């Protein structure tokens, strides 16, 4: 069954210049990339992304981590991978959440670490299941940024919306 998953190369992955390695590893899946961009991460976006963890003691630190405050890299690379069993294929390549427990050949096992304050710096985010993937993709991407129709859309006329155009 065709599925979509959100992938984020987190700020530690960018700082360690791992983008190429990670994309090469993910290409083993033979999935299709249907959207990609570099994004700034507002506090609101990070908190919404990790809202399932808001009661955890490490919540504040993972928000700072995703926003790049631990790595002086205030951006992430966001991608959507699409195809047969995309979630399970990408989660398997990513490895376990705790980089010390992740298979040593996985992306997190190869490049992740645990900081002295206990944050799992694990280089990459992959949606955990189909409903998380839909919620996260709609949070990070607008329909027009994705080259396939993943979810139903509606046409909205925005007359007063100010947008930037090339001068
Ligand atoms: P996942 O990224 O494998 O889906 P989640 O439970 O959704 O794992 O956690 C989101 C992120 O929060 C993880 O990727 C990791 O960076 C961090 N994290 C999760 N659990 C812990 C923990 O017990 N200690 C420190 N950081 C954690
Ligand atoms: Mg998760």
């Amino acid at each position: 069954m065709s599925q979509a998953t959100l992938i984020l190369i987190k700020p530690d992955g960018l700082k360690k210049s791992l983008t190429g390695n990670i994309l090469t590893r993910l290409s083993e899946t033979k999935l299709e990339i249907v959207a990609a961009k570099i994004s700034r991460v507002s506090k609101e976006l990070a908190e919404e992304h990790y809202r399932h963890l808001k009661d955890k003691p490490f919540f504040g630190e993972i928000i700072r981590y995703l926003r790049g405050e631990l790595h002086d890299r205030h951006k992430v690379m966001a991608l959507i991978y699409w195809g047969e069993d995309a979630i399970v294929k990408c989660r398997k390549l990513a490895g376990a959440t705790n980089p010390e427990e992740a298979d040593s050949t996985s992306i997190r096992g190869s490049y992740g670490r645990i900081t002295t304050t206990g944050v799992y710096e694990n280089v990459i985010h992959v949606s955990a299941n189909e409903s998380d993937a839909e919620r996260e993709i709609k949070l990070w991407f607008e329909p027009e940024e994705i080259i396939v129709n993943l979810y139903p859309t509606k046409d909205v006329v925005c007359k007063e919306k100010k947008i930037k155009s090339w001068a």
Side-chain angles (χ1 to χ4, degrees):
M1 184 192 41
S2 261
Q3 284 180 329
T5 181
L6 178 76
I7 301 274
L8 300 176
I9 301 181
K10 298 184 186 182
D12 53 329
L14 297 179
K15 182 157 187 173
K16 293 174 178 172
S17 302
L18 292 172
T19 305
N21 290 11
I22 291 169
L23 297 182
T24 301
R25 292 300 311 275
L26 289 170
S27 70
E28 291 168 26
T29 61
K30 306 288 181 212
L31 296 166
E32 192 180 339
I33 298 173
V34 294
K37 64 180 176 182
I38 300 288
S39 284
R40 299 259 181 234
V41 188
S42 68
K43 189 159 183 280
E44 293 70 31
L45 176 57
E47 288 180 351
E48 188 58 27
H49 179 79
Y50 280 141
R51 71 173 186 192
H52 62 295
L53 298 169
K54 70 175 187 303
D55 297 326
K56 300 282 185 194
F58 53 81
F59 183 68
E61 275 300 286
I62 60 171
I63 298 307
R64 282 171 27 82
Y65 167 35
L66 193 64
R67 298 196 66 209
E69 289 173 24
L70 309 182
H71 299 92
D72 198 27
R73 286 289 186 288
H74 296 277
K75 59 191 175 186
V76 298
M77 184 165 188
L79 306 109
I80 302 173
Y81 278 75
W82 183 68
E84 192 76 14
D85 297 324
I87 295 174
V88 80
K89 285 178 181 163
C90 292
R91 294 271 310 181
K92 187 162 192 300
L93 273 178
T97 305
N98 178 340
E100 298 297 332
E101 287 172 3
D103 185 301
S104 62
T105 65
S106 68
I107 295 168
R108 287 167 163 180
S110 302
Y111 304 118
R113 67 168 197 150
I114 304 179
T115 67
T116 49
T117 56
V119 183
Y120 297 170
E121 281 186 7
N122 53 12
V123 173
I124 185 176
H125 168 82
V126 183
S127 308
N129 54 55
E130 274 191 66
S131 67
D132 278 7
E134 178 171 353
R135 188 180 78 80
E136 292 170 1
I137 286 168
K138 290 177 175 175
L139 198 57
W140 288 84
F141 286 92
E142 296 298 333
E144 290 189 350
E145 296 177 305
I146 308 171
I147 62 159
V148 291
N149 295 323
L150 295 178
Y151 310 112
T153 55
K154 60 181 178 189
D155 291 330
V156 183
V157 180
C158 305
K159 275 195 185 136
E160 300 298 325
K161 198 170 169 191
K162 194 166 125 187
I163 58 158
K164 280 228 193 304
S165 173
W166 299 118

